[in-house]
Amino acid sequence: DAGVIQSPRHEVTEMGQEVTLRCKPISGHNSLFWYRQTMMRGLELLIYFNNNVPIDDSGMPEDRFSAKMPNASFSTLKIQPSEPRDSAVYFCASGLAGGNEQFFGPGTRLTVL
Amino acid sequence: GENVEQHPSTLSVQEGDSAVIKCTYSDSASNYFPWYKQELGKRPQLIIDIRSNVGEKKDQRIAVTLNKTAKHFSLHITETQPEDSAVYFCAASLGGNNRLAFGKGNQVVVIP
C-alpha cells in the first residue's frame, strides 16, 4: 500500500496567488482529514469528510480556504488568495469512518512570500 | 470541546533510560487515545493507541497506560535509543465521531 499521497511536497508562492493542495487517501479508507501544522498552533484540524461528504469544516480559518472531495480517491484544499500567514505544513490523513485510526500523508510545506 | 494537554513540553533522557510523557484530556466521552511520533521534517506516525476499555497496552519498548477516572494517559518508552528522539503527540477522540483532538507535542531528546 502506498499510503496517503500528497502533492506537491513543497510549494512557494507569492501573496495573492491561488494555491491548490492535493491528497489521495489510502485505498478503502472513507474518512479524510485536512490538518495544518505550525510551531505556534500545533496540529489544527481544518475539515474532514466521511464518504466524500464534508462533515465538519469549523476549523477552516476563513472563506479564502475551501476543500472538495469529488470522489473517494481524491481531495483538494484550495487557498485563494493566499497570504503569508498561511505558510505552514498541510497534512492530509485518512481512516475508516466508524473507526478512529488516522494515517498521515507526507505533508505539503507551503511558503507564501 | 475537548482540551488535550501534554507534559512536559521537553524531555531529555540518557540513552538506555526510560521516558514517560503524560497527557490529560477533558471530554469524558473520549474513548480512543493514540500516540503519534513525528521526526523532524516527517509526517506524524501512529505508534500505539489504546481504547477506553483497556488500562494498558504494550508493543515492544513502548507502552501506554490509561486512567479514565483521572482523565489521563501516558506513553512509556523503555531502553531509549537515539532514534527515539522526536516530537510525540497524544490525541483523544471527540465524543462519538472519528475526529481527534491533538496535544501540542512533547520534544523527547535521547542523549547518547
Side-chain angles (χ1 to χ4, degrees):
Chain A
D1 195 326
V4 177
I5 298 172
Q6 290 187 248
S7 66
R9 296 292 306 275
H10 301 272
E11 176 83 21
V12 180
T13 190
E14 293 188 344
M15 183 174 63
Q17 296 298 305
E18 177 179 299
V19 174
T20 299
L21 311 182
R22 297 173 177 79
C23 176
K24 177 178 168 55
I26 293 171
S27 178
H29 283 184
N30 54 1
S31 287
L32 185 140
F33 306 81
W34 281 102
Y35 290 91
R36 178 171 67 177
Q37 186 176 41
T38 60
M39 287 294 292
M40 291 298 295
R41 300 170 74 93
L43 264 171
E44 303 174 275
L45 178 66
L46 301 177
I47 184 172
Y48 83 99
F49 297 82
N50 278 351
N51 297 309
N52 312 340
V53 177
I55 302 300
D56 186 348
D57 65 355
S58 60
M60 296 286 261
E62 298 170 35
D63 291 345
R64 298 183 297 107
F65 286 68
S66 62
K68 293 182 179 179
M69 191 162 187
N71 58 61
S73 58
F74 183 66
S75 177
T76 59
L77 178 68
K78 186 176 292 186
I79 308 173
Q80 165 65 18
S82 58
E83 296 182 3
R85 61 194 168 116
D86 301 332
S87 298
V89 180
Y90 290 81
F91 287 104
C92 174
S94 73
L96 290 170
N100 293 114
E101 293 90 345
Q102 295 182 21
F103 300 92
F104 283 75
T108 295
R109 181 173 295 278
L110 173 66
T111 303
V112 183
L113 303 174
Chain B
E2 176 72 279
N3 185 32
V4 177
E5 295 188 359
Q6 297 184 231
H7 307 278
S9 59
T10 304
L11 178 64
S12 295
V13 295
Q14 288 293 137
E15 181 177 358
D17 288 350
S18 295
V20 182
I21 308 168
K22 183 176 174 178
C23 193
T24 60
Y25 63 97
S26 59
D27 186 355
S28 57
S30 295
N31 58 11
Y32 173 72
F33 308 93
W35 283 94
Y36 285 81
K37 174 184 180 183
Q38 187 176 29
E39 297 176 49
L40 189 63
K42 302 283 183 66
R43 76 188 77 188
Q45 288 200 300
L46 178 65
I47 57 172
I48 196 166
D49 55 17
I50 193 167
R51 298 189 185 275
S52 57
N53 57 347
V54 176
E56 183 177 1
K57 184 177 178 180
K58 284 185 179 180
D59 183 1
Q60 299 182 4
R61 295 188 298 108
I62 59 172
V64 54
T65 57
L66 172 65
N67 183 328
K68 282 216 74 178
T69 303
K71 295 200 190 75
H72 67 73
F73 57 109
S74 299
L75 178 69
H76 304 253
I77 308 173
T78 58
E79 300 173 28
T80 53
Q81 300 168 4
E83 54 263 38
D84 295 328
S85 295
V87 177
Y88 291 82
F89 292 92
C90 66
S93 61
L94 290 169
N97 61 47
N98 54 346
R99 283 186 58 183
L100 294 175
F102 283 85
K104 292 281 192 253
N106 297 94
Q107 175 77 57
V108 173
V109 178
V110 179
I111 303 166

